[in-house]
Every structure is written in C-alpha cells, then in structure tokens.
Amino acid sequence: MNKSRFWLVLAVLAVVALALAACGGKAEAPATEAPQGEQGGAMEGLPDLGGRTVTVAVENAYPPFNFIDEDTGEAKGWDYDTVREICKRINCVPDFKEAAWDGIFEAMAAGEYDVLADGVTYTEERDQVVDFSIPYVTIGQVLLVRADCDKADVDAFKADEAKLVGTQIGTTNEIVAKEHFPEERVKSFETFDAAVLALMSGDIDGVVIDNVSALGFMDANPGKLKVLGQLTSDEQLAFVFPPGSDLIEAWNAALESMKKDGTLDQLNKKWGLTP
C-alpha cells in the first residue's frame, strides 16, 4: 500500500471511530433496579433503617398472604408486596425465610427472625410472648366446605354429628373450631394446605379458616369449594416481632403512612383482604 493511500484509509477509520464514539456517548446502560433500602434512604418524614436487612418469616402455604405460584415457582402474596413496600419507605432490605407455623412464636420470642408476616391474629395471650405491630386489617373466620355440600348453613352442618372439620394446629382457628364443634370432630393439621387437601379428598367435611384465606383457596381451586357461613368477625391481624424489637416503631410509622396515602387499602383490595 502506498503512503497516500495509507493516510487516506487512516483518515476514514478515524472519522468512523469518532462517529461511533458520538453514538456511544448518547447510549445509556440498561437500567437496573436498586435493591430495596438503597434508593436514596427512607421516605421523607419516616425513620431510616440505613439499608438494614430484615429477616421475614413466612409459611409460603397461606394464600393470599403467602404462597408459591405453581406455574412459575415464584413466591407471591400480600405479605411479599406489603413488606417490600414497608422496606421501601423506611430503607430496609427484606430477606424472606420459609418457616413452619408450629413453634413459630417460640422462634420469634428467641429472635430467630426479625418479623413474622403470616396473617397473624393478635391475642392477649400471644402478646405475652411476642410483640405486635398496629393492625393492618380486621377479618372473620368462616366454615369452608366442598362446593357440593348439601347443608343449608353452619347450624345444619353442626347438627350432623358425622361431619368432621379441620383447621391448622396452634391457630386461633383451632380455638374457634373447638368452640363450635366437639373436640372429637376437630382434626388439626400442620398447615392449612393440608387441611384443604383433606377437605377436597373427602377425609373431612369442612375447614375453619380466616375468610380471606378461604377466598384464596377458593380462587386456587375454582368451583370446588364454598363458604358455608361466618363463625367470627372481629379478629385483627398484625405483624409479629421479638419482644422489645427496635423495628416496631419504624414498621408502624410505615404502616401509618400507607394507611394515610391509600397504599395499604390498595394492597388489601388487590389480595382480597377487603372488598
């Protein structure tokens, strides 16, 4: 190649390089979502936890609060959405851990988890062992039965001594079940998943369960289940903390702000906690 041609090629390459550089200067790297708690601190007026990681216990077997989507394997539910929103507001990072219900209050009292988010009913007895947030919704308990149940109402169901009911061990639902039915007609299961499976297979005839979760199981099993009637209507659900937790004040502040701006109401409606 002669020199004049060499310099001509070099000049062309330089122009092309400059053009590419100019185009590259306008391009932006793909946006990546910053982790919760790393988006510039807490919402104005709320406590700032400084990006602290918070361990959150869930069952992953209690729709619509928490469950695993069978199609995608993704963990979903009211608990996931709400805890993430709380952490966004007070600058923390949620670390969800699957935990069994049986023994969960002892685990919380021992500080094994920072928060329990599992549709937990406040009771004075539990309040002696753990601490609670402010309530986020008031619910009732119902009798869930198969869609083909021939009983007209709860009283007719109760009158049939052959009818068995199930519930989850160690819950307020178990207490209510034993208040409404003879103890020999009540079967307690490790999870509500197991109780509902026993109901659909015909091993039991009803399940005493929160109205919200009853709707969750009905949605997951279209046409197979129905609510026969209401048993209670005044239970308040709240988050649970180890005694004396320093998270409670910040958590309550976030919940209060979500109540004021309508976010909590939107989440409650999205997941069926309220109409």
Side-chain angles (χ1 to χ4, degrees):
M1 180 184 295
N2 62 44
K3 289 185 178 181
S4 60
R5 193 171 179 186
F6 170 79
W7 289 112
L8 177 61
V9 172
L10 188 61
V12 171
L13 290 174
V15 171
V16 171
L18 286 171
L20 289 173
C23 291
K26 294 178 182 178
E28 295 181 0
T32 56
E33 185 179 354
Q36 298 289 349
E38 295 182 9
Q39 301 178 11
M43 183 179 288
E44 185 176 355
L46 293 180
D48 192 330
L49 298 183
R52 170 179 171 181
T53 297
V54 176
T55 304
V56 185
V58 290
E59 275 186 285
N60 283 336
Y62 196 36
F65 294 98
N66 51 73
F67 60 96
I68 302 298
D69 188 305
E70 291 184 359
D71 295 328
T72 65
E74 181 184 358
K76 292 182 177 181
W78 184 93
D79 289 334
Y80 286 95
D81 282 0
T82 304
V83 169
R84 286 174 180 140
E85 178 64 26
I86 288 171
C87 272
K88 183 171 74 174
R89 292 176 181 238
I90 57 177
N91 192 12
C92 59
V93 181
D95 180 19
F96 295 96
K97 299 289 187 182
E98 189 169 307
W101 176 261
D102 191 24
I104 192 60
F105 291 103
E106 291 81 1
M108 291 302 300
E112 292 183 26
Y113 306 97
D114 296 315
V115 185
L116 170 60
D118 208 50
V120 182
T121 301
Y122 170 87
T123 69
E124 292 184 359
E125 182 181 9
R126 289 172 175 173
D127 199 24
Q128 301 300 312
V129 180
V130 294
D131 285 345
F132 286 84
S133 71
I134 58 174
Y136 52 76
V137 74
T138 300
I139 56 113
Q141 294 189 36
V142 298
L143 182 63
L144 183 69
V145 297
R146 289 185 297 277
D148 62 359
C149 176
D150 61 355
K151 301 302 180 184
D153 52 32
V154 173
D155 287 337
F157 188 99
K158 287 181 180 180
D160 188 339
E161 296 181 359
K163 295 296 185 185
L164 301 177
V165 296
T167 191
Q168 185 178 27
I169 191 170
T171 61
T172 55
N173 311 88
E174 185 182 44
I175 295 171
V176 169
K178 291 178 179 179
E179 288 174 349
H180 285 79
F181 298 92
E183 192 162 343
E184 61 271 17
R185 290 173 59 186
V186 177
K187 295 185 68 175
S188 298
F189 295 81
E190 290 296 320
T191 67
F192 273 114
D193 266 355
V196 172
L197 284 173
L199 172 62
M200 292 194 295
S201 67
D203 293 334
I204 57 176
D205 304 290
V207 175
V208 176
I209 189 170
D210 296 343
N211 57 351
V212 174
S213 294
L215 294 175
F217 281 110
M218 289 168 63
D219 287 343
N221 301 278
K224 297 180 180 180
L225 302 167
K226 67 180 181 181
V227 170
L228 191 60
Q230 189 99 4
L231 300 176
T232 70
S233 60
D234 57 354
E235 297 194 19
Q236 292 187 316
L237 304 188
F239 292 99
V240 177
F241 302 84
S245 171
D246 62 349
L247 280 174
I248 300 174
E249 182 178 351
W251 210 264
N252 284 344
L255 280 173
E256 290 286 11
S257 73
M258 290 167 65
K259 287 182 179 180
K260 288 179 182 177
D261 66 19
T263 303
L264 185 61
D265 186 51
Q266 290 173 10
L267 288 170
N268 287 349
K269 287 180 178 178
K270 172 185 174 180
W271 289 105
L273 274 64
T274 55

